[in-house]
Amino acid sequence: MTDTVTTPSPSDATAPAHRYNADLAAVIEQRWQQRWEREGTFEAPNPAGPMAEPDKVAGRPKLYVLDMFPYPSGSGLHVGHPLGYIATDVFGRFKRMTGYNVLHALGYDAFGLPAEQYAVQTGTHPRVTTEANIANMRRQLGRLGLAHDPRRSVATTDLEFYKWTQWIFLQVYNSWYDEALQKARPIAELIAAYESGDRLTPTRAAWSSLSQSEQDALVDGLRLAYISQAPVNWCPGLGTVLANEEVTADGRSERGNYPVHKRNLRQWMMRITAYSERLIADLDRLSWPEPIKLMQRNWIGRSEGAKVRFALAGSTDEVEVFTTRPDTLFGATYLVLAPEHPLLDTLVPGAWPAADLPASWTGGAATPGEAVAAYQRLASSKSDVERQVDSRDKTGVFTGAYAVNPVDGRALPVFAADYVLMGYGTGAIMAVPAEDERDYAFAEAFSLPVIRTVAPPADFTGGAYTGVGPAINSGFLDGYTMPETKRLMTEWLVERGLGEATVTFKLRDWLFSRQRYWGEPFPIVYDENNRALALPDHMLPVELPDVDDYSPKTFAPDDFTSAPEPPLGRAQDWVNVTLDLGDGPKPYRRETNTMPQWAGSCWYELRYLDPTNTERFVDADVERYWMGPTSETHIGGVDLYVGGAEHAVLHLLYSRFWHKVLFDLGHVSSGEPFHGLVNQGYIQAAAFLDARGIHVPADQVEERDGRFLYEGEPVTREYGKMGKSLKNAVTPDDMFAEYGADTLRIYEMSMGPLEVSRPWETRAVVGSYRFLQRVWRMVVDEETGAVRVSDDAPSDELNRLLHKTIDGVRTDFADLKFNTSVAKLIELTNAVTKTGAPAPRVVAEAVVLMLAPLAPHTAEELWSRLGHPQTLTYQAFPVADAALLVEDTVTCVVQVGGKVRDRIEVPVGISEAELLDLALATPGAQRAVEGQSIRTTIVRPPRLVNIVLV
RNA sequence: GCGAGAGUGGCGGAAUGGCAGACGCGCUGGACUUAGGAUCCAGUGUCUUCGGACGUGAGGGUUCAAGUCCCUCCUCUCGCACCA
């Protein structure tokens, strides 16, 4: 393709001296960026604190517009990265011109795997590479002229930032979730309740009678941040454990694509599950795209159902199952426990209950104990990938035990099978093959009975029937509908103490520790008894120590016997400390895990508000001003948050959780972090593959007669995300050199709707460039550089178009429809050009002001040349004259049989009868009707007449 | 398999149920030029007997009127994937 960037030809002898080109754009852009910085043009006033400017806050509406902040990666930006930043900038600039106090800033998400991996690759300390990367990104983004408040650009790696990340961690750690009040409360209140007896210990023993470790165990078991020994995602290739959200569906790490295996490890967890109900319910109060809400709902996975307890034959033990279909209890023909279910240790009898059991049930083992143990070994050896591949083939083994169906006393064989997951519900199910496809498949494989309890429709062909229908074979439930049977059966169970209605969630607690160097240290130490202790606030921050060897300890990707080794464990001088935690100086060991990258991004939007505050993470008044609820029904949060959809169940879920904890503890007034959300699309680009299927540099591919050639050889085209791996990246620096930043901004905004992904095409950028050249020429004489607008009033026609454009552009900006706003401005500019006369000043000034959010440097320059010394940042955006939006005459379409046959210019106030007469008389209508009889006419004055023939 | 979204010229894309293709790229022709890969102007859905006919993934339907609403199907993208 001829996407190669060519150098402009400023030395062109014949080009006018004052034409708008890349060189002139560069001069203008630099001039205005320096002036904006010098004058602090985009510094947003706070209502309180060091950035307080009460007189600027008073009487103005506010807008908090936010971008998902970037990782400062080493490879620099391509033109896809700034799409969202430009969009929020245009919106923010527009809102400033309509009187809003706008907060817009950009920081850096600088901890985490990418930064660390880059540092390891280059053999340089992550702090050095991170700072260099941030500097490079600041330079690239700086050239775009984004209207950010530079004072608020924080990085998560700043000591003054992660001090507060650690502080928030301690807030979470020192909290528990009060189920009765449905909110987080300080741990101190829990202990006080135990001490006073207001809250009973599980064993009903007096609090004071418990030992220190018993008290710790009880309290730690309720903390919102806690240490657990549980199966977690261990990734030897990365040398760290990962959260569920960071593992792909085929059991690999999202970063690096290494295999991940479940392993029992001692790790920090966050009790996000406590908030499941509120995280689902409050989605309804957010202005988010429905697909993202749906993804969160699905991820949290709320299911209403019942717990049912089955007695085990010949035992006092019972099996508790969760089911969403208590109505089908009469159809339960067996039970299944997950292979990891603890009851398997006790319920398995010493011998098979019968001699003639099928081999599929026993697995050929001599005793149930052997059979179950063998199956457990098999199941635990399976990786998630294998479990995935085998997902349709049902495997399992009979435990030798029987349970009793409480509704009719039937004996139900109890199986262990890996299609039941320990982590969901109770890790045990009642199997109803007639009404569940998985149970049906298992029943087929193990020759288990099928009892239908829901009458299927006549055309039903067999297998499991999961639809609705009247109950059959169900004793006292027969004939009732499904909702009724669910309710009646649950009531029946509750009356007999056999079960109760319950709600279950798919969401699991959040694995919060990583075996990495480049992250926030935990503000936790361990005493000689290995008791975890939170550091007091005044000991924060716990500074990340400088070490020589910061690389992670990684292993062969499939070496699942390996165990994580945090790099900080090697910094023994740092790990072993003597501290006075209130009872005199004592030796302690520091926690050597670090926090995941998500930690900083869980609250950075709060720090932008008050970045220099040393007393609090954010001043309460400042937070309330920018993010507080604006009405009874408004829950609060950032007004507009723009970023990619890939964070739907990661960052956007974690940050909601932290924010709700802060809200419960009274630290913020907003109940949600992000009230408005828009997902921008990705910029894709053509990539080219040679005969071997290897990507070749896209900028060196030529197009000839519809075929693509690289070094003379044919290559095939595909489309993908822009980037290094597809060798199709186009950098903003190239665009700055060729056209200037304003052209790039206009082009990115005009390509299509913000939410939609679209392919980049370098050769199309010139269209935006030409548009800016035309606007420039409208104000500046290309030959002399003199301003060439006239003081004449615009023609009536032009004036009407101007006001129509103002009206449309305003609406489009407000709705983030930047592509159509650009089109409208081009139309108006072309109309002015077409008159051939100098532009009337009122029109030129309005065009410049409307252009300002999109192409701020060019607009500022023209505004200044038009004689306005002040920046136009706070100049009022043009307002349409409503009187001019109503036209005197309009074009009326004359249809015959729904097809357009003619057009007539008519006054807007024309009557139905008059319009119909005019329409019938048109040549087009005459021709089309021609002797045929008219059945009816539809007249919609003044725009349409439809003549319907018989 | 389940869920969500999308299919409009050569390309990116516009169209409160009421003139399909705004605007841009590309292409064609012209102007200015030593030159054009600069800039400007004009044209550009397909077919046409110049009346018009056809045209928004396919097929039905509702309507005076459908890109838009309803039904069936096809294709693509994204998300989830034994969650009982």
Side-chain angles (χ1 to χ4, degrees):
Chain A
M1 269 182 97
T2 52
D3 270 7
T4 316
V5 173
T6 55
T7 42
S9 45
S11 55
D12 186 337
T14 63
H18 300 273
R19 170 165 292 170
Y20 182 90
N21 61 21
D23 288 349
L24 180 57
V27 170
I28 292 171
E29 284 160 11
Q30 203 181 25
R31 178 186 305 154
W32 283 97
Q33 283 165 17
Q34 284 170 357
R35 179 166 164 188
W36 292 331
E37 190 175 351
R38 197 170 60 239
E39 296 182 356
T41 306
F42 308 122
E43 292 180 1
N46 274 353
M51 295 180 184
E53 294 180 76
D55 52 316
K56 289 193 182 174
V57 168
R60 295 169 71 199
K62 64 85 190 177
L63 176 82
Y64 186 7
V65 54
L66 181 71
D67 303 280
M68 290 186 186
F69 64 166
Y71 312 116
S73 89
S75 45
L77 297 181
H78 59 66
V79 291
H81 289 116
L83 178 68
Y85 304 152
I86 298 171
T88 49
D89 188 52
V90 175
F91 186 64
R93 284 176 179 273
F94 168 67
K95 288 301 226 180
R96 277 191 196 92
M97 295 176 78
T98 58
Y100 278 76
N101 181 22
V102 174
L103 175 52
H104 196 188
L106 191 73
Y108 294 89
D109 189 13
F111 271 132
L113 284 180
E116 184 176 290
Q117 282 170 335
Y118 181 74
V120 170
Q121 270 167 31
T122 57
T124 320
H125 193 282
R127 181 164 300 284
V128 175
T129 58
T130 298
E131 277 169 12
N133 293 346
I134 289 176
N136 186 45
M137 261 186 151
R138 279 220 170 93
R139 180 190 60 78
Q140 285 189 303
L141 290 170
R143 286 222 45 188
L144 286 165
L146 303 170
H148 295 158
D149 185 340
R151 304 169 302 170
R152 301 173 189 259
S153 179
V154 296
T156 53
T157 47
D158 296 341
L159 195 58
E160 272 307 302
F161 184 93
Y162 75 69
K163 169 185 171 180
W164 293 108
T165 310
Q166 292 171 336
W167 181 84
I168 295 171
F169 171 84
L170 288 177
Q171 293 295 310
V172 179
Y173 177 76
N174 285 317
S175 301
W176 59 292
Y177 201 76
D178 186 332
E179 290 290 342
L181 296 180
Q182 278 292 300
K183 62 178 276 195
R185 294 173 62 190
I187 271 299
E189 294 178 15
L190 176 71
I191 293 171
Y194 277 135
E195 280 172 344
S196 69
D198 288 349
R199 188 181 170 95
L200 294 174
T201 63
T203 57
R204 300 185 173 246
W207 176 255
S208 56
S209 73
L210 300 181
S211 70
Q212 177 72 60
S213 66
E214 284 169 334
Q215 289 181 352
D216 285 352
L218 192 49
V219 169
D220 290 350
L222 291 169
R223 289 181 190 273
L224 289 181
Y226 62 98
I227 298 168
S228 93
Q229 177 83 34
V232 296
N233 305 299
W234 165 231
C235 180
L238 287 174
T240 187
V241 295
L242 297 169
N244 294 333
E245 291 82 357
E246 295 170 307
V247 179
T248 61
D250 56 349
R252 301 180 81 91
S253 61
E254 194 150 61
R255 289 200 180 275
N257 200 33
Y258 294 110
V260 168
H261 199 75
K262 286 274 188 221
R263 214 192 127 112
N264 254 316
L265 292 169
R266 181 191 163 283
Q267 295 293 330
W268 282 94
M269 306 292 287
M270 289 262 170
R271 205 178 301 280
I272 190 173
T273 51
Y275 283 83
S276 299
E277 192 78 59
R278 281 167 62 189
L279 287 170
I280 282 217
D282 286 348
L283 284 173
D284 292 339
R285 306 180 61 183
L286 299 178
S287 176
W288 284 18
E290 270 313 311
I292 299 293
K293 289 189 185 182
L294 195 60
M295 280 167 72
Q296 289 217 349
R297 280 191 198 104
N298 290 341
W299 188 262
I300 299 166
R302 187 180 192 278
S303 290
E304 291 187 7
K307 282 182 178 170
V308 184
R309 284 178 287 277
F310 288 79
L312 282 167
S315 162
T316 55
D317 279 343
E318 49 185 24
V319 180
E320 186 173 61
V321 308
F322 171 72
T323 179
T324 56
R325 296 292 304 274
D327 57 306
T328 62
L329 187 47
F330 280 97
T333 56
Y334 62 103
L335 302 190
V336 186
L337 307 186
E340 304 84 7
H341 199 289
L343 256 186
L344 285 175
D345 296 339
T346 57
L347 64 63
V348 177
W352 294 114
D356 57 348
L357 293 171
S360 62
W361 285 37
T362 62
T367 65
E370 284 173 30
V372 169
Y375 187 74
Q376 284 175 317
R377 274 197 305 278
L378 178 74
S380 71
S381 74
K382 269 196 200 174
S383 70
D384 286 356
V385 187
E386 288 163 329
R387 240 168 125 148
Q388 189 74 25
V389 169
D390 302 342
S391 67
R392 296 297 154 205
D393 297 330
K394 293 288 178 285
T395 63
V397 69
F398 180 43
T399 63
Y402 287 89
V404 181
N405 191 331
V407 286
D408 56 13
R410 270 183 296 122
L412 307 177
V414 179
F415 283 78
D418 69 359
Y419 83 93
V420 172
L421 309 174
M422 192 58 224
Y424 181 75
T426 63
I429 62 155
M430 64 177 215
V432 185
E435 277 96 32
D436 183 283
E437 280 165 17
R438 296 150 304 185
D439 295 343
Y440 189 89
F442 190 89
E444 285 234 294
F446 289 81
S447 306
L448 288 154
V450 177
I451 302 172
R452 292 210 179 277
T453 58
V454 178
D459 59 353
F460 181 68
T461 52
Y465 175 67
T466 56
V468 295
I472 52 173
N473 303 324
S474 297
F476 66 96
L477 298 177
D478 276 358
Y480 286 103
T481 64
M482 192 198 285
E484 290 167 341
T485 50
K486 281 186 176 178
R487 183 178 51 82
L488 289 168
M489 180 56 89
T490 306
E491 282 171 6
W492 188 92
L493 291 166
V494 169
E495 280 164 20
R496 286 157 186 78
L498 294 169
E500 57 270 330
T502 186
V503 176
T504 299
F505 297 90
K506 278 200 256 181
L507 186 68
R508 315 290 163 83
D509 277 343
W510 173 21
L511 173 58
F512 193 72
S513 41
R514 299 290 184 277
Q515 292 71 49
R516 284 283 160 165
Y517 169 71
W518 197 232
E520 300 88 347
F522 282 74
I524 294 284
V525 294
Y526 299 90
D527 69 9
E528 296 153 317
N529 302 320
N530 213 24
R531 186 175 173 225
L533 295 166
L535 292 174
D537 290 355
H538 70 81
M539 287 192 182
L540 301 183
V542 177
E543 197 169 344
L544 186 63
D546 245 330
V547 298
D548 295 331
D549 182 9
Y550 43 80
S551 58
K553 172 73 177 162
T554 58
F555 303 87
D558 51 358
D559 179 9
F560 296 120
T561 59
S562 56
E565 293 175 26
L568 285 180
R570 292 173 225 144
Q572 283 300 309
D573 291 350
W574 177 81
V575 171
N576 296 300
V577 285
T578 301
L579 300 170
D580 184 349
L581 298 184
D583 50 359
K586 287 184 181 173
Y588 296 95
R589 280 181 307 105
R590 292 192 188 276
E591 170 64 62
T592 56
N593 285 299
T594 52
M595 298 186 200
Q597 181 167 13
W598 313 110
S601 61
C602 270
W603 75 281
Y604 74 109
E605 78 282 357
L606 290 163
R607 193 62 182 174
Y608 284 177
L609 304 180
D610 198 9
T612 58
N613 195 329
T614 54
E615 303 299 313
R616 271 177 64 84
F617 68 113
V618 61
D619 178 87
D621 290 335
V622 173
E623 186 276 333
R624 187 174 305 108
Y625 173 72
W626 289 110
M627 288 177 68
T630 56
S631 72
E632 287 279 312
T633 53
H634 189 272
I635 195 165
V638 172
D639 296 292
L640 176 66
Y641 194 30
V642 175
E646 72 272 20
H647 291 297
V649 293
L650 294 158
H651 161 60
L652 286 176
L653 193 59
Y654 299 147
S655 50
R656 293 183 65 211
F657 162 54
W658 272 35
H659 202 92
K660 285 187 180 303
V661 176
L662 292 171
F663 174 80
D664 286 353
L665 298 176
H667 296 310
V668 294
S669 69
S670 42
E672 285 277 340
F674 314 115
H675 188 265
L677 176 71
V678 168
N679 293 119
Q680 98 259 3
Y682 296 103
I683 290 188
Q684 301 170 315
F688 298 90
L689 297 159
D690 65 14
R692 300 165 299 169
I694 295 178
H695 286 103
V696 301
D699 59 355
Q700 289 166 40
V701 173
E702 292 177 281
E703 181 176 3
R704 226 172 283 157
D705 309 323
R707 300 203 312 145
F708 300 100
L709 300 172
Y710 172 69
E711 293 179 343
E713 297 296 315
V715 290
T716 55
R717 182 173 62 175
E718 59 173 28
Y719 280 92
K721 238 173 137 171
M722 187 176 276
K724 269 201 300 193
S725 58
L726 300 185
K727 294 188 183 166
N728 62 353
V730 178
T731 70
D733 305 68
D734 293 341
M735 294 301 105
F736 299 148
E738 177 83 336
Y739 301 109
D742 277 345
T743 294
L744 177 64
R745 291 173 57 109
I746 297 261
Y747 176 65
E748 296 220 358
M749 291 301 95
S750 65
M751 289 166 79
L754 180 60
E755 300 85 348
V756 178
S757 295
R758 55 274 168 62
W760 176 266
E761 199 170 1
T762 296
R763 69 178 180 183
V765 178
V766 71
S768 303
Y769 182 56
R770 288 177 189 150
F771 165 53
L772 287 179
Q773 285 181 322
R774 283 199 294 276
V775 176
W776 182 264
R777 201 179 300 122
M778 186 167 82
V779 177
V780 178
D781 187 305
E782 287 192 331
E783 305 290 343
T784 66
V787 172
R788 45 162 286 186
V789 295
S790 89
D791 289 322
D792 297 345
S795 70
D796 192 47
E797 191 188 355
L798 182 57
N799 204 32
R800 286 182 183 280
L801 178 61
L802 170 65
H803 284 266
K804 198 178 131 194
T805 305
I806 292 170
D807 185 54
V809 168
R810 255 187 184 267
T811 314
D812 286 350
F813 277 161
D815 296 343
L816 308 179
K817 291 166 76 175
F818 304 119
N819 53 331
T820 51
S821 68
V822 173
K824 289 180 174 100
L825 286 170
I826 292 176
E827 262 183 289
L828 176 60
T829 307
N830 289 350
V832 174
T833 305
K834 200 163 275 185
T835 62
R841 172 173 283 269
V842 287
V843 178
E845 293 200 339
V847 168
V848 167
L849 290 175
M850 287 191 280
L851 183 67
L854 294 157
H857 313 88
T858 309
E860 287 271 28
E861 182 69 19
L862 292 174
W863 187 245
S864 140
R865 291 189 185 215
L866 283 164
H868 305 283
Q870 298 293 324
T871 174
L872 49 57
T873 303
Y874 298 96
Q875 195 67 35
F877 200 86
V879 180
D881 181 347
L884 290 168
L885 296 176
V886 185
E887 319 238 0
D888 292 340
T889 63
V890 294
T891 307
C892 174
V893 177
V894 181
Q895 297 180 340
V896 178
K899 294 198 161 78
V900 180
R901 297 301 178 181
D902 220 321
R903 296 182 174 86
I904 40 174
E905 279 296 310
V906 297
V908 281
I910 194 167
S911 72
E912 271 195 38
E914 224 177 328
L915 182 60
L916 181 57
D917 287 348
L918 286 173
L920 288 168
T922 58
Q926 296 272 315
R927 259 198 313 272
V929 173
E930 213 195 339
Q932 301 172 78
S933 38
I934 295 167
R935 185 172 57 166
T936 183
T937 54
I938 311 287
V939 185
R940 295 274 182 276
R943 299 237 178 228
L944 179 119
V945 174
N946 189 7
I947 300 158
V948 186
L949 302 177
V950 174

